[in-house]
Amino acid sequence: MPTVTPATVRDSLDDKVDCLKRAPVCCGSFFSQLGKGVMRNKYGILAFLVSMFIMYLLPSLPIAGDLIYCTFDDSLFNVVYVLLFFFIFLQAYALLTTVVYYLISIGNHITPWNVRWHTWEGASEKQCGKCTNFFARNAKFILAIVGISIFSFYLSLALFSPTPCSLQVGEEYPFTPVAAQKVEKDILEFVTENHEKLPQRPALRGQHAKTIACVSGTFTVDPSIPPSHAVGIFAAGAPKSYPAWIRFSHSAPDFTPDGFIGPKGMAIKLLNVPGTSLLEDEPHTQDFVLLSSPIFFAPDPTSYGSFIRAFVTNQVPAWFLKHINSASAWKTVFSLAKIVIRSAKLRNLLDWDWFSTTPYSFGTNNPVKYMVKPCDSSGSQFDSADTKAYNFLRDAMQDQLDKLDGCFNFYVQFQEQACREPLEDPTIEWHTEPRLVGKLVIPKQQFKTKERMQYCDEMAFNPWHSLPEHKPLGGVNHQRLEIYKKTAQMRSRWNNFTLTAPVANPKLKTPPTPLTDADYNRTKISSGNTVDFQFRPYAGFELGSYPYPDGLPGHIASLVKDSSFTTEKTLRVFRSALNGVNNQLQEMFTADFDLIKRPNDYTYLFHDPTMRSRIPWVANDNIWEKDSVFASQWIRGPNPMTIKRAIEGKFPPEFARNLTPKDIKFLNDEVLPEGHNVMDLLKQGRILYADYKVLDNVPIPPELVKENIVRYPTLIVFYVKRDGRASELMPLAIQLEQWKDADCPISKGKKVNKTWDGPWACDPALLPKETIYFPPRRLVRQAHDRDDYIEWRKWLFARFHAASSDAQVHEMVTHLGLTHLLLEPIIISTYRQFDKNHTLFKLLLPHMRQTIAINELGRRTLLNKGGFFDSITALGKDGTLGLIAESYKSYNYMDAVFPRNMQARGFSNHTLENPGGEDDPVPGFLYRDYGYMIWDCLEKYVRTVVEAQYTDETLAQDADVQRWAEEIANPNEANVRGFPTSFKDTDSLIAAITHFIFTASAQHSCVNFGQFDFYGFIPNKPLRMTRPMPSAEDLEKEGLSWEYIMEALPNAEVTLKTLTITNILSMKPAHVLEIVHSPELFFGTLMKNALSLVDSTWRPRYEDPWQVLMRDLKVRSEEMKARNALNGYHYDYLYYDEIAMSISI
């Protein structure tokens, strides 16, 4: 027996991993065998059927609700979903490949697998054989994994909510207005279409069209009802009984046999109700809308609307395939299955339990569901045995009411545990104890008359015909309000009757006309696709009215519910995450924050075991103190967008007017490394600067002035230090103050200073000098006791203020303004102006995912009054929007295209043979170097797609593209400054689209995901400061103590919030470029693979552009990783497997 050692285990694992990598290429024969095995193995089929049965059974168990909604903590929740996503990958990869190979092998198109056409980085026949043998030996294991993946994936969709439960009793999560309008629009459209397709009249209800029975009765309040239940119609001063009309119906949208599968309905309308109803059309009625099942078929309004339309138009399979990866779709399917199975047992409507399925108020903050049960079992003797008769339920009821009264007890079920009995998901049955509150008696009567049925058909049942004490709750009920009301109005208009509240004893025609089986027995007319229309996704998007300052880009008015991203649900997840991280940090803060006496003491916050894995790299070994690390953040940090080169041998004028010959001598003699000279550096283009004068144009909000917030319009000057082959960026000076144009004295139209390049009428010689802070002398920087030198403390304090200035511009302008808010109106216009099958829509769609929703989320949690920007920044909400508006005045979309922007700032590595080498004026500028790499790959990708679709002539003729450009550029609509008003040539379109994709992916990734790395250690980049830099006189008299410096840094509360929000925002993206599937720009990937298998000589017209992009990005990423490893750089934000596909956080 061979000896097992760690080395042999490792080698074995390496072999298996190697085989897995080559599986798509080498293991076709295995998949073919596996496919045949699945099809021929009766046990495999049996296992699948058993799995499906368990999937059906499990949701109905009471314990499932607890497991799903109550007991999942965050860690278990994350582990479960990691496993589920792994199974999803295996399912999609193995199962689909199995089917494809099996079908192809049946046709004898490839047997065995032809390795010659598909190669995998030099994989040899021998390697493939080894791989195939490995899979053959482990066939049962692989088959088990595939089975588990299928079961786990679909079970998770059916059961697991992607949010740990944080529900409160009585708490609703209202459906967004635009989403509600879309569902309402869809339902009203298909009701209209259905009416127009039916040649007969009268027009029918959109649902529950067939009236099985319409009976009168009396509702009596239970005399023993406790005082706590005496509300609304059950109140002490209310009547003890109410006349009632009860309509029993079939849920189908047309007349069907009573035995047709589907739930039945029971609608109760109480009359002469004191008080005022929520709806004005029937001020004194109270309606109860019930179903023959304890659960509703749809978990939310979107599923409700989309499924109803699919059901009516005979497109349920297509609907399901479209939404197969939606948890709501699977819940709908499973709920319907349970409803149908239960309803199939129905034999007598008066001998059956009925349920509201949706919740209602019962007084104040007491949500209930209603339940109606037969008073006794006497009605069972009338259960129909002939379920094939067209109207057997109607006949059974009439048989009973000819001889016996019908009787139901009326119960309420109170919500006791919000997680187990949620308001917003009516597919979950409540199991709380029913409490008797009333009785409904249906006396003996003859209801099978045409007059009675017509009278009932002219009634309008709506759960919002209700006293305020019994107000409907939940998204489905809110959706019913307008839909029920408007469909009733449409029916009354089409059938020429007036909607009025019914009376207890209507005057109907006498003698009545008996109802025969021929009446109301119209069979359903098939509804084909009779209306051709151009589908524009989210056509209801409108540019909005959020209180932005004038001049900002447009934004969404209100959010349409996106199937891939639900804002309300995500808002709960986000708040839950915030609370979790906040509570975790709070525990360690109580013990550690008081220990902080010097800037380096902030490392105490990361001694807690919960934070050790998230220590910002700048905090390691106190390297944040190094001037080189400070300066590197402008070329390898979160905000590489403000730094510029001082070209043409000139300093920025605001700096030049304050720099004296004495300062230059001090820098040359005491600060700069040997062999460096300020003026030589300037001539060589090795002086750079970052200017934050824009901050001076945005006043500090009054509420922040009260908190002593200090903010400077800083100017930071850098130089490139060269020491042999080693080069790095270093700070040369920090100028905290800058003069304003309005402060400049007028020199009577003359230039006093001949060298001045500023306003012609300004005499800078008359302006007071602003103080410039220089790095400490070399002697001080190298001293072990440098903390004792005021020179070091003064420089460090100036750095804090400079970093804080950069933080304001980074967070508000670079990040929020020029990624999130800039792209939102472009996304809206893309949805509004392009058909879903338009090539450009497909090209842009993956990069629009979740952005509008995450922006809406930001407006609720960051930009809201009292939100994060108000509490942790030096600008607040109003200052944030003001700064974005001020910066946006000079923004131009096409000038911001990456290569143009970099060149305008003095950076272009396209002319460098060796970026980072000796000929590079700014070595180590990784945003520039890696950004050019990513841009070139994306531009090649977009060019391939665009030029395959357009010439300059055909582009100019594409009305959709031209409307898209016009709306985006229009200042009264999207208002994206500098966006072309039209596209006349492909080059401009390619640049505009590449800029959008680059901004949504690479740009946002590098300015967002590094936030915790730099902001997580507070002294490195504080988001607010509360003490100013002392004047030169004060420094001379009083010095600068560490106590004063530490008081200026954020307090414990601001620090806690800063760590919390930057920690969450820096979490790695779930959807990166590497794993996102190719957009189907030319052919579906599966179709291309199938064609290539059948005929190995077949070639697509174009190689899949997405695959080419991924291959190019992978090569570039390897170059980045090698360079980072060689130089010890921390800059992985532009690796292709780290770049987010879109702005989704």
Side-chain angles (χ1 to χ4, degrees):
M1 184 174 182
T3 303
V4 178
T5 66
T8 59
V9 172
R10 185 172 59 253
D11 292 343
S12 175
L13 289 174
D14 289 344
D15 287 344
K16 294 178 180 180
V17 170
D18 215 27
C19 285
L20 285 171
K21 288 182 178 179
R22 290 193 300 273
V25 178
C26 300
C27 302
S29 59
F30 161 74
F31 281 114
S32 178
Q33 296 166 12
L34 180 60
K36 294 177 182 178
V38 171
M39 299 297 180
R40 296 176 181 175
N41 192 326
K42 61 183 179 181
Y43 298 108
I45 297 174
L46 178 62
F48 178 77
L49 294 176
V50 170
S51 299
M52 292 297 292
F53 175 76
I54 294 175
M55 290 163 65
Y56 165 74
L57 181 64
L58 192 57
S60 65
L61 299 178
I63 192 174
D66 292 340
L67 290 174
I68 297 161
Y69 291 99
C70 301
T71 62
F72 265 34
D73 61 47
D74 288 341
S75 59
L76 177 59
F77 178 83
N78 291 331
V79 170
V80 168
Y81 267 83
V82 167
L83 292 174
L84 290 176
F85 281 123
F86 173 69
F87 287 142
I88 293 168
F89 169 77
L90 285 177
Q91 172 205 345
Y93 199 73
L95 186 64
L96 292 180
T97 312
T98 298
V99 173
V100 170
Y101 284 112
Y102 177 65
L103 294 176
I104 293 173
S105 64
I106 288 179
N108 294 318
H109 293 295
I110 54 159
T111 307
W113 171 261
N114 186 344
V115 185
R116 288 171 295 182
W117 195 81
H118 282 287
T119 60
W120 181 275
E121 299 178 358
S124 65
E125 294 279 355
K126 182 176 180 181
Q127 289 172 320
C128 290
K130 180 180 179 181
C131 181
T132 304
N133 290 337
F134 163 74
F135 277 99
R137 291 195 304 269
N138 295 276
K140 292 182 179 179
F141 170 75
I142 300 296
L143 184 60
I145 289 293
V146 172
I148 292 172
S149 72
I150 300 169
F151 174 76
S152 301
F153 174 45
Y154 291 116
L155 186 60
S156 71
L157 289 178
L159 299 181
F160 296 155
S161 167
T163 311
C165 177
S166 59
L167 305 178
Q168 302 295 322
V169 171
E171 187 173 2
E172 290 185 279
Y173 299 93
F175 202 42
T176 55
V178 173
Q181 291 169 12
K182 184 177 185 299
V183 174
E184 177 187 324
K185 177 176 175 288
D186 285 346
I187 291 181
L188 295 180
E189 279 183 358
F190 83 71
V191 168
T192 303
E193 291 171 12
N194 198 41
H195 165 67
E196 292 172 349
K197 291 169 189 173
L198 293 173
Q200 299 150 320
R201 296 293 185 268
L204 306 176
R205 285 176 166 86
Q207 284 182 277
H208 292 269
K210 179 182 177 180
T211 301
I212 299 176
C214 181
V215 294
S216 59
T218 301
F219 184 92
T220 305
V221 177
D222 187 72
S224 61
I225 188 171
S228 60
H229 296 175
V231 296
I233 63 171
F234 307 99
K240 300 303 180 184
S241 65
Y242 303 89
W245 282 102
I246 305 98
R247 178 179 182 264
F248 293 91
S249 59
H250 196 297
S251 61
D254 202 344
F255 291 158
T256 57
D258 287 353
F260 186 77
I261 60 172
K264 310 300 185 288
M266 177 186 187
I268 304 171
K269 184 182 291 289
L270 306 187
L271 309 178
N272 305 331
V273 176
T276 303
S277 172
L278 294 170
L279 292 184
E280 296 178 357
D281 61 333
E282 294 186 14
H284 300 296
T285 62
Q286 173 71 48
D287 290 1
F288 300 104
V289 178
L290 312 168
L291 286 177
S292 57
S293 167
I295 60 172
F296 196 62
F297 68 87
D300 54 63
T302 300
S303 302
Y304 169 64
S306 63
F307 178 82
I308 294 257
R309 182 173 191 120
F311 178 74
V312 172
T313 56
N314 288 329
Q315 294 179 358
V316 171
W319 170 86
F320 180 69
L321 290 175
K322 180 179 179 181
H323 300 88
I324 193 168
N325 286 331
S326 163
S328 295
W330 281 91
K331 273 195 171 184
T332 300
V333 170
F334 285 125
S335 299
L336 274 171
K338 293 201 288 187
I339 291 170
V340 167
I341 291 174
R342 175 183 171 85
S343 299
K345 304 173 184 176
L346 182 55
R347 298 292 183 270
N348 183 356
L349 297 171
L350 297 178
D351 187 35
W352 194 255
D353 297 348
W354 302 88
F355 308 86
S356 67
T357 71
T358 54
Y360 298 82
S361 296
F362 201 77
T364 304
N365 200 33
N366 283 316
V368 298
K369 285 188 179 181
Y370 302 124
M371 178 188 297
V372 174
K373 291 188 172 187
C375 299
D376 52 46
S377 60
S378 60
S380 60
Q381 60 181 303
F382 299 99
D383 290 358
S384 176
D386 184 11
T387 57
K388 294 182 180 180
Y390 197 93
N391 296 308
F392 76 88
L393 290 175
R394 179 185 297 164
D395 295 339
M397 181 181 288
Q398 187 61 73
D399 287 345
Q400 177 169 346
L401 294 181
D402 285 341
K403 302 169 185 176
L404 294 175
D405 293 345
C407 179
F408 290 100
N409 287 326
F410 195 94
Y411 301 90
V412 293
Q413 289 180 285
F414 284 91
Q415 184 189 37
E416 296 176 356
Q417 296 185 23
C419 296
R420 185 180 295 183
E421 297 107 23
L423 297 185
E424 298 294 344
D425 188 350
T427 62
I428 296 175
E429 182 179 358
W430 291 12
H431 294 280
T432 53
E433 179 186 356
R435 304 182 189 185
L436 182 65
V437 293
K439 179 179 290 188
L440 176 65
V441 175
I442 303 174
K444 292 183 287 186
Q445 58 191 279
Q446 176 59 246
F447 67 85
K448 287 178 61 175
T449 69
K450 289 184 178 181
E451 291 75 18
R452 175 71 69 91
M453 299 301 261
Q454 181 178 349
Y455 188 66
C456 217
D457 282 343
E458 293 180 0
M459 293 182 194
F461 291 88
N462 191 325
W464 291 84
H465 288 148
S466 170
L467 295 179
E469 293 87 344
H470 306 303
K471 175 186 173 182
L473 302 175
V476 171
N477 272 335
H478 284 283
Q479 193 69 67
R480 283 170 161 175
L481 171 60
E482 291 299 321
I483 291 175
Y484 279 33
K485 183 168 68 173
K486 290 181 179 179
T487 53
Q489 292 169 351
M490 291 161 63
R491 208 161 34 86
S492 71
R493 185 173 65 253
W494 290 334
N495 294 340
N496 195 27
F497 69 85
T498 302
L499 283 170
T500 57
V503 296
N505 298 296
K507 295 180 180 180
L508 302 179
K509 174 187 173 183
T510 55
T513 307
L515 192 68
T516 66
D517 286 343
D519 296 315
Y520 289 80
N521 286 0
R522 188 168 70 242
T523 56
K524 186 174 182 180
I525 296 176
S526 61
S527 52
N529 184 17
T530 60
V531 180
D532 293 326
F533 61 96
Q534 187 179 33
F535 176 71
R536 295 185 183 277
Y538 299 88
F541 275 8
E542 295 178 359
L543 299 173
S545 57
Y546 183 85
Y548 283 178
D550 291 340
L552 282 188
H555 59 284
I556 199 71
S558 54
L559 189 68
V560 172
K561 188 173 182 180
D562 183 344
S563 61
S564 67
F565 189 95
T566 305
T567 299
E568 296 301 331
K569 181 180 290 184
T570 306
L571 182 61
R572 297 198 297 272
V573 173
F574 188 73
R575 285 174 175 165
S576 176
L578 283 177
N579 292 336
V581 175
N582 195 71
N583 293 339
Q584 184 185 70
L585 293 171
Q586 185 71 55
E587 291 179 4
M588 68 184 197
F589 263 45
T590 55
D592 294 339
F593 202 81
D594 291 340
L595 300 176
I596 298 175
K597 306 298 182 185
R598 298 283 178 92
N600 283 327
D601 293 344
Y602 275 88
T603 56
Y604 293 154
L605 299 179
F606 302 98
H607 290 174
D608 188 276
T610 60
M611 291 298 292
R612 286 175 186 166
S613 63
R614 291 289 293 157
I615 300 177
W617 68 267
V618 296
N620 291 323
D621 300 324
N622 297 329
I623 61 172
W624 71 275
E625 290 185 327
K626 294 182 178 180
D627 280 348
S628 59
V629 173
F630 171 75
S632 72
Q633 295 174 47
W634 273 259
I635 56 176
R636 296 191 294 275
N639 188 20
M641 304 305 295
T642 56
I643 195 165
K644 301 177 181 178
R645 285 178 67 197
I647 56 177
E648 300 179 358
K650 296 180 181 179
F651 282 112
E654 295 84 351
F655 179 73
R657 63 173 294 275
N658 294 301
L659 188 67
T660 66
K662 182 179 177 182
D663 293 333
I664 294 175
K665 186 176 186 307
F666 171 75
L667 289 170
N668 290 337
D669 295 346
E670 302 287 347
V671 176
L672 293 177
E674 190 174 332
H676 289 66
N677 181 281
V678 171
M679 300 313 294
D680 289 342
L681 291 171
L682 188 60
K683 293 176 183 177
Q684 295 166 7
R686 290 162 58 190
I687 295 292
L688 300 91
Y689 65 96
D691 189 350
Y692 300 96
K693 190 174 182 179
V694 67
L695 290 171
D696 223 10
N697 298 330
V698 182
I700 298 177
E703 60 271 18
L704 295 186
V705 173
K706 295 177 182 177
E707 298 182 35
N708 300 316
I709 300 300
V710 179
R711 194 182 68 217
Y712 288 110
T714 309
L715 176 66
I716 313 170
V717 181
F718 305 92
Y719 73 97
V720 177
K721 170 187 170 185
R722 288 196 181 276
D723 184 8
R725 291 188 176 182
S727 301
E728 56 188 351
L729 191 69
M730 300 287 288
L732 182 70
I734 295 174
Q735 179 180 315
L736 295 181
E737 297 281 6
Q738 297 189 58
W739 60 270
K740 296 181 180 179
D741 293 350
D743 297 335
C744 187
I746 302 299
S747 59
K748 299 180 181 179
K750 293 182 179 181
K751 273 192 173 184
V752 177
N753 190 328
K754 302 292 186 181
T755 63
W756 178 245
D757 292 325
W760 71 271
C762 180
D763 184 358
L766 302 179
L767 285 171
K769 296 285 187 181
E770 281 94 17
T771 303
I772 300 177
Y773 300 92
F774 299 111
R777 293 166 295 156
R778 289 189 294 270
L779 179 67
V780 173
R781 293 202 306 270
Q782 296 167 3
H784 293 294
D785 57 347
R786 63 184 179 185
D787 283 4
D788 296 335
Y789 286 81
I790 188 174
E791 191 176 344
W792 169 250
R793 296 197 294 272
K794 180 175 65 174
W795 170 245
L796 205 60
F797 197 45
R799 274 179 43 179
F800 290 169
H801 279 293
S804 182
S805 297
D806 180 70
Q808 312 310 311
V809 173
H810 164 245
E811 291 291 11
M812 288 52 169
V813 180
T814 305
H815 180 203
L816 176 63
L818 297 183
T819 62
H820 285 263
L821 303 188
L822 174 70
L823 296 194
E824 181 173 344
I826 301 177
I827 294 171
I828 296 169
S829 295
T830 303
Y831 277 121
R832 285 159 58 102
Q833 299 302 337
F834 286 129
D835 180 86
K836 67 176 181 179
N837 294 314
H838 196 288
T839 298
L840 297 189
F841 182 82
K842 291 182 178 181
L843 180 64
L844 293 171
L845 182 60
H847 310 286
M848 304 191 297
R849 182 180 184 273
Q850 301 182 353
T851 302
I852 292 177
I854 200 66
N855 285 0
E856 181 73 9
L857 186 62
R859 286 187 277 264
R860 298 189 192 187
T861 57
L862 303 179
L863 277 174
N864 58 318
K865 193 67 177 176
F868 274 90
F869 284 162
D870 264 354
S871 60
I872 68 174
T873 72
L875 289 163
K877 175 182 77 71
D878 295 334
T880 292
L881 295 174
L883 179 60
I884 297 172
E886 189 68 27
S887 301
Y888 195 60
K889 290 178 182 178
S890 59
Y891 179 81
N892 182 289
Y893 184 86
M894 296 305 286
D895 289 346
V897 166
F898 181 82
R900 300 177 192 177
N901 174 268
M902 297 303 292
Q903 291 164 15
R905 293 195 281 140
F907 308 113
S908 172
N909 76 344
H910 276 201
T911 60
L912 299 175
E913 293 184 2
N914 180 26
E918 293 185 4
D919 64 333
D920 187 346
V922 192
F925 194 174
L926 299 191
Y927 170 79
R928 174 202 62 186
D929 300 340
Y930 297 172
Y932 272 113
M933 292 180 182
I934 300 298
W935 176 271
D936 289 345
C937 294
L938 290 175
E939 198 266 353
K940 174 184 174 183
Y941 163 64
V942 174
R943 183 172 295 278
T944 301
V945 176
V946 170
E947 292 184 346
Q949 182 75 16
Y950 295 111
T951 63
D952 290 349
E953 292 76 18
T954 58
L955 174 61
Q957 296 169 5
D958 190 325
D960 288 344
V961 174
Q962 305 308 325
R963 281 196 305 269
W964 179 65
E966 182 182 3
E967 180 174 83
I968 294 174
N970 190 329
N972 296 318
E973 294 183 289
N975 189 31
V976 176
R977 294 177 183 267
F979 198 92
T981 55
S982 63
F983 289 105
K984 305 300 183 185
D985 60 87
T986 56
D987 285 343
S988 59
L989 178 63
I990 290 166
I993 291 178
T994 307
H995 183 34
F996 177 92
I997 296 176
F998 182 87
T999 304
S1001 55
Q1003 179 72 11
H1004 180 259
S1005 292
C1006 69
V1007 303
N1008 176 75
F1009 293 113
Q1011 290 182 83
F1012 188 76
D1013 287 339
F1014 299 95
Y1015 291 91
F1017 188 74
I1018 299 300
N1020 182 68
K1021 197 175 283 288
L1023 275 167
R1024 60 167 48 172
M1025 298 285 287
T1026 57
R1027 296 289 186 277
M1029 174 67 79
S1031 65
E1033 293 78 9
D1034 290 340
L1035 286 173
E1036 186 71 26
K1037 293 178 182 178
E1038 303 176 10
L1040 182 62
S1041 67
W1042 281 115
E1043 289 75 14
Y1044 183 87
I1045 293 175
M1046 297 307 295
E1047 287 173 0
L1049 289 171
N1051 59 27
E1053 179 184 358
V1054 175
T1055 297
L1056 172 64
K1057 290 183 176 181
T1058 301
L1059 292 183
T1060 299
I1061 191 64
T1062 57
N1063 196 329
I1064 291 173
L1065 294 179
S1066 301
M1067 291 179 178
K1068 294 301 182 183
H1071 298 275
V1072 295
L1073 292 176
E1074 178 194 22
I1075 64 172
V1076 175
H1077 299 298
S1078 168
E1080 293 185 2
L1081 299 170
F1082 301 107
F1083 298 96
T1085 302
L1086 185 61
M1087 178 62 71
K1088 288 192 293 187
N1089 289 343
L1091 288 173
S1092 65
L1093 292 174
V1094 173
D1095 180 4
S1096 61
T1097 65
W1098 180 86
R1099 295 290 187 276
R1101 180 182 175 188
Y1102 301 99
E1103 188 177 4
D1104 187 340
W1106 185 261
Q1107 299 305 322
V1108 174
L1109 173 63
M1110 291 299 101
R1111 185 176 63 218
D1112 292 346
L1113 288 176
K1114 183 178 180 182
V1115 171
R1116 292 300 195 177
S1117 292
E1118 293 303 321
E1119 296 175 10
M1120 297 177 196
K1121 292 176 182 178
R1123 185 174 173 188
N1124 285 351
L1126 179 64
N1127 296 281
Y1129 293 145
H1130 297 270
Y1131 201 74
D1132 59 357
Y1133 314 115
L1134 292 178
Y1135 295 167
Y1136 88 119
D1137 53 355
E1138 297 287 344
I1139 297 176
M1141 189 66 159
S1142 62
I1143 300 176
S1144 56
I1145 186 63

